[in-house]
Amino acid sequence: MKQLLNYKDCADLSNTICQSFYYEKLNQGNYFEVWRNKKVPNDLNSVMYFYDNLQSALISYNVFKNKYKCSLVWREYNYTIGKSKKLNWSEDWIVIVNNKKKSKEFN
């Protein structure tokens, strides 16, 4: 079957890319929920691709997993804006990809 998207397309679909901090935050409790592949790649050689929705994240995960070790995780978090006391919440869908070459861009 021909793949409709390539790795660059999946990177372009993401809103943010950074060095992985999955294991750093793991010590803080239930910070992430793993949706695909419980063997999450290590932080040292991995990057996180953040997506706005599950659909984009799932499509990208399925493309990345053809070449790299990767996992799909979800997180929910609260935040405030400026001096406001109003608590807002948001969520991230994150594909963690073990890609040593890409991770060197963030060191």
Side-chain angles (χ1 to χ4, degrees):
M1 183 169 92
K2 183 163 174 23
Q3 195 169 307
L4 297 176
L5 299 174
N6 61 32
Y7 307 111
K8 175 151 180 18
D9 295 331
C10 293
D12 290 343
L13 281 173
S14 70
N15 59 46
T16 305
I17 304 170
C18 68
Q19 182 72 37
S20 178
F21 53 83
Y22 175 84
Y23 286 97
E24 178 185 324
K25 294 290 185 180
L26 198 60
N27 297 332
Q28 296 178 9
N30 294 330
Y31 196 78
F32 296 103
E33 183 178 316
V34 179
W35 277 59
R36 298 285 190 279
N37 188 14
K38 301 262 187 225
K39 290 185 177 180
V40 177
N42 68 50
D43 286 347
L44 182 62
N45 297 320
S46 298
V47 292
M48 295 175 128
Y49 292 85
F50 291 76
Y51 296 92
D52 294 324
N53 55 59
L54 174 59
Q55 295 84 353
S56 297
L58 267 175
I59 289 167
S60 298
Y61 168 77
N62 282 305
V63 171
F64 281 125
K65 77 175 187 176
N66 289 324
K67 184 174 180 179
Y68 302 102
K69 293 179 183 173
C70 62
S71 293
L72 173 61
V73 301
W74 173 85
R75 73 173 180 168
E76 177 183 54
Y77 58 94
N78 297 310
Y79 64 95
T80 58
I81 298 174
K83 295 181 180 181
S84 171
K85 293 185 181 188
K86 180 183 176 195
L87 199 58
N88 300 291
W89 77 273
S90 190
E91 65 181 358
D92 287 322
W93 292 96
I94 307 165
V95 178
I96 303 172
V97 179
N98 186 270
N99 182 340
K100 189 173 188 174
K101 183 179 175 184
K102 186 74 175 172
S103 74
K104 286 183 179 181
E105 294 177 21
F106 300 101
N107 291 331

